[in-house]
Amino acid sequence: MRDGNLFDLAYDFERIFRNSEEYTRLKRLFKEVNTDPTAMQLFNKYNHLQSELLNKQMMGQKVMKQEIDDFQKTLAHVQQNEKIVKLLEADQHVNILITKLNKIITKPLEEIYGTPEGR
Amino acid sequence: MRDGNLFDLAYDFERIFRNSEEYTRLKRLFKEVNTDPTAMQLFNKYNHLQSELLNKQMMGQKVMKQEIDDFQKTLAHVQQNEKIVKLLEADQHVNILITKLNKIITKPLEEIYGTPEGR
């Protein structure tokens, strides 16, 4: 079996994923948020605060109460913005889809090395 | 376009990957190491020390000189064990292949969110 097949399949996969309902919806909703200055600013702030918190947690750094308060306040605003809520839902759907597909594709490696958690 | 296509493609992908030269070679070499008690013990020790070091680095924890010395001594032994050297090479080949394929498949998401590093 030639690996060329794997690359052909990867390109097929990319094309079908790009045309999937999940992806086209995500792309449209992302554009809607990013062409609405208020939503865009709020969405960027939310992502920025969230990734700062996650990075600190991952690095085992202390998180200040003020940072958690800021994040929760921003999250409350986000939850009131319908465009962002829809985008986050679409993002979650795509993530679930990709996770399921990835689990299928990486099963042969899991059989060798065990699950990533179990390594 | 129905998502069923994506799952069909994922299963095709899994099957072709499982039969690829890279994967079958990796699986064979992994078995060779794991049926040789000396190689297996050394390989497990190497993986254990390496993941401990990487975890500490990721968590921003201090790494002791003794730990680095232990790892380097084990690495020197590993580099003298032909079975493990071949296995590590095969593992690297599979990783490079998967990285290339993954880059193709996730291009649509990269177009929305930018590269993971640039997020």
Side-chain angles (χ1 to χ4, degrees):
Chain A
M1 194 91 56
R2 297 262 302 280
D3 301 332
N5 289 334
L6 281 176
F7 283 92
D8 288 346
L9 271 178
Y11 284 112
D12 285 348
F13 199 97
E14 191 263 0
R15 185 175 44 78
I16 294 180
F17 174 54
R18 188 184 287 282
N19 291 310
S20 70
E21 266 182 50
E22 282 86 347
Y23 180 75
T24 50
R25 183 175 161 79
L26 177 65
K27 196 175 175 179
R28 180 169 49 78
L29 293 169
F30 188 79
K31 200 178 167 184
E32 276 177 29
V33 164
N34 282 277
T35 49
D36 172 342
T38 309
M40 183 177 70
Q41 204 186 355
L42 181 56
F43 185 59
N44 288 342
K45 189 179 174 187
Y46 168 75
N47 283 327
H48 176 72
L49 291 176
Q50 190 182 44
S51 67
E52 273 199 333
L53 278 184
L54 286 174
N55 279 339
K56 285 203 168 182
Q57 278 182 345
M58 260 173 52
M59 298 292 288
Q61 287 172 12
K62 201 172 153 62
V63 175
M64 301 296 161
K65 190 180 173 299
Q66 184 62 45
E67 288 174 283
I68 296 172
D69 289 350
D70 279 355
F71 178 68
Q72 284 179 340
K73 213 190 285 176
T74 307
L75 179 62
H77 284 147
V78 157
Q79 282 163 345
Q80 282 158 25
N81 187 304
E82 206 189 339
K83 284 180 188 171
I84 303 180
V85 168
K86 278 185 182 170
L87 173 57
L88 291 175
E89 281 169 2
D91 179 76
Q92 201 185 1
H93 280 150
V94 166
N95 270 321
I96 291 169
L97 176 65
I98 293 285
T99 302
K100 281 183 187 169
L101 293 167
N102 201 39
K103 206 174 166 166
I104 295 169
I105 290 170
T106 58
K107 196 162 180 292
L109 287 176
E110 196 191 303
E111 286 171 17
I112 293 182
Y113 292 118
T115 54
E117 299 78 34
R119 257 177 225 178
Chain B
M1 197 88 61
R2 299 260 301 280
D3 300 332
N5 290 334
L6 280 177
F7 284 91
D8 288 346
L9 272 179
Y11 285 112
D12 285 348
F13 198 97
E14 192 262 2
R15 185 175 44 78
I16 294 180
F17 174 53
R18 188 184 287 280
N19 291 309
S20 70
E21 266 182 49
E22 281 86 348
Y23 179 75
T24 50
R25 183 175 161 82
L26 177 66
K27 196 174 174 180
R28 180 169 49 77
L29 292 170
F30 188 79
K31 200 177 166 185
E32 276 178 27
V33 164
N34 281 276
T35 49
D36 172 343
T38 309
M40 184 177 71
Q41 204 186 356
L42 181 56
F43 185 58
N44 288 341
K45 188 179 175 188
Y46 168 75
N47 283 327
H48 176 71
L49 291 176
Q50 189 181 45
S51 68
E52 272 199 335
L53 277 183
L54 286 173
N55 279 339
K56 285 203 168 183
Q57 276 181 347
M58 261 174 49
M59 298 291 288
Q61 287 172 10
K62 201 171 153 61
V63 175
M64 302 296 160
K65 190 180 172 300
Q66 182 63 44
E67 289 174 282
I68 297 172
D69 288 351
D70 279 354
F71 177 68
Q72 285 180 339
K73 212 190 285 175
T74 308
L75 179 62
H77 284 146
V78 158
Q79 283 164 343
Q80 283 158 23
N81 187 305
E82 206 188 340
K83 285 181 188 171
I84 304 181
V85 168
K86 278 186 181 171
L87 172 58
L88 291 175
E89 281 170 0
D91 179 75
Q92 201 185 1
H93 280 151
V94 166
N95 270 321
I96 291 169
L97 175 65
I98 292 286
T99 303
K100 281 183 186 169
L101 294 166
N102 201 38
K103 207 174 164 164
I104 294 169
I105 289 170
T106 57
K107 196 163 179 290
L109 288 176
E110 195 190 302
E111 285 171 16
I112 292 183
Y113 293 119
T115 54
E117 298 78 33
R119 258 179 226 179

